[in-house]
Amino acid sequence: MTRRFKLALLDLDGTLWRDGHVIEGAPEFVERLRHDGVQPVFFTNNSSRTPSEVVGALLRCGIAAESNEVCTSAQAAAHALTERIPAGSTVTFVGKTGLEEALTDAGFAAKRARGSELTEAWVKEAKAAVVGMDPAVTYLDLAVVTRVAHRLGWFVLTNSDARYPTEDGFLPGNGSLGALVETASGVKPLVTGKPDRRFVEFALERYGATASETVIVGDNPYTDVLAGAAAGVYTIHVRSGVSFPEDENAPVADETVESVEKIFRQ
Ligand SMILES: [Mg+2]
């Protein structure tokens, strides 16, 4: 069955690992893809980590990977900016190294929003504002991004996940930071992570595959499955990660399995 695909876009959290521990069968699944000539791509909404940091985390889980096989929502955000503002422009952001590196690699002058430097000149310089996750972000940092977003009439949100699941509940996610900026600035974000179909299309272009040659695998119906379905890509929902209350309107995948271990076994 893998023969029909050239590219597999693999979610990470809840799909290949959970709470920092590898999900059983995940390393063998990735090896099986390689053996069958399917390019695995580690396709993540997490904008905090750089590709080499993601590779390190995968290696600790026993999954062999290379940096150029990692595709992040931060890279999708940077790509979206290349279509909207000139190379070399100053982009202010909140987020971590993964976003800073993606913006720099795309040719922008990435400037982390610092509330302590909040001045009118500083706010006027930026040609774009990007919101990515950073647990250490402050009110005044978000104030900088909000003022830039308000002046420009738009901003970029790397992903709209409202919550991150934890073992004992959840933490506010990047979508919640974006909601603050949206409310205060009065402008809507351009969201570049899953479920936005452009993130999938960015990956198809980058790795040279068509939608019909690609499969997306993930644990979240509202991000992974929705993104795949929107882009016309075959979707596999794994039940190894987040669970949601029963929702009859939840996006339905082409296939549902307990974990990646069960994929392509038939
Ligand atoms: Mg996930």
Side-chain angles (χ1 to χ4, degrees):
M1 183 179 178
T2 53
R3 303 285 176 209
R4 55 186 276 211
F5 299 116
K6 270 175 64 178
L7 186 68
L9 303 177
L10 309 176
D11 176 53
L12 297 178
D13 199 16
T15 300
L16 299 182
W17 66 50
R18 189 176 50 224
D19 299 324
H21 301 289
V22 66
I23 288 174
E24 198 180 333
E28 294 79 6
F29 168 66
V30 174
E31 274 317 299
R32 172 80 183 271
L33 290 175
R34 295 189 192 283
H35 178 263
D36 288 352
V38 184
Q39 171 66 58
V41 167
F42 305 96
F43 190 62
T44 178
N45 260 5
N46 184 324
S47 66
S48 303
R49 285 173 159 156
T50 64
S52 62
E53 288 168 343
V54 171
V55 166
L58 285 165
L59 288 176
R60 286 192 290 281
C61 287
I63 298 170
E66 291 179 20
S67 292
N68 61 10
E69 294 175 326
V70 177
C71 189
T72 73
S73 66
Q75 293 172 329
H79 178 73
L81 290 182
T82 62
E83 295 170 345
R84 287 168 177 78
I85 57 173
S89 298
T90 296
V91 176
T92 189
F93 71 98
V94 290
K96 297 190 74 176
T97 326
L99 180 54
E100 184 168 26
E101 185 179 284
L103 292 170
T104 305
D105 285 353
F108 298 111
K111 198 162 173 181
R112 197 179 298 249
R114 300 230 187 266
S116 56
E117 299 167 17
L118 180 57
T119 65
E120 200 55 31
W122 207 103
V123 171
K124 275 185 180 156
E125 188 188 334
K127 297 285 187 294
V130 185
V131 175
M133 189 61 199
D134 181 358
V137 74
T138 71
Y139 170 86
L140 284 175
D141 299 343
L142 289 165
V144 172
V145 170
T146 299
R147 283 176 56 171
V148 175
H150 179 256
R151 178 173 60 77
L152 297 173
W154 63 290
F155 72 101
V156 172
L157 182 64
T158 61
N159 62 298
S160 58
D161 303 56
R163 295 176 174 180
Y164 294 130
T166 61
E167 243 170 78
D168 60 349
F170 68 88
L171 292 169
N174 195 44
S176 297
L177 296 184
L180 184 151
V181 175
E182 181 179 345
T183 302
S185 67
V187 297
K188 294 251 175 245
L190 170 71
V191 181
T192 60
K194 296 173 273 187
D196 189 81
R197 60 181 288 179
R198 286 166 295 194
F199 188 23
V200 177
E201 289 161 358
F202 167 62
L204 298 185
E205 189 185 329
R206 180 171 164 189
Y207 297 99
T210 63
S212 62
E213 293 168 333
T214 304
V215 57
I216 187 166
V217 183
D219 65 312
N220 188 329
Y222 298 95
T223 54
D224 303 304
V225 173
L226 203 56
V233 162
Y234 191 84
T235 57
I236 299 179
H237 177 216
V238 289
R239 293 181 179 275
S240 50
V242 292
S243 60
F244 293 93
E246 280 304 312
D247 175 6
E248 60 186 26
N249 297 316
V252 178
D254 293 306
E255 207 176 310
T256 298
V257 295
E258 288 310 305
S259 72
V260 287
E261 195 182 17
K262 306 289 184 201
I263 299 175
F264 306 141
R265 280 287 175 84
Q266 57 276 53

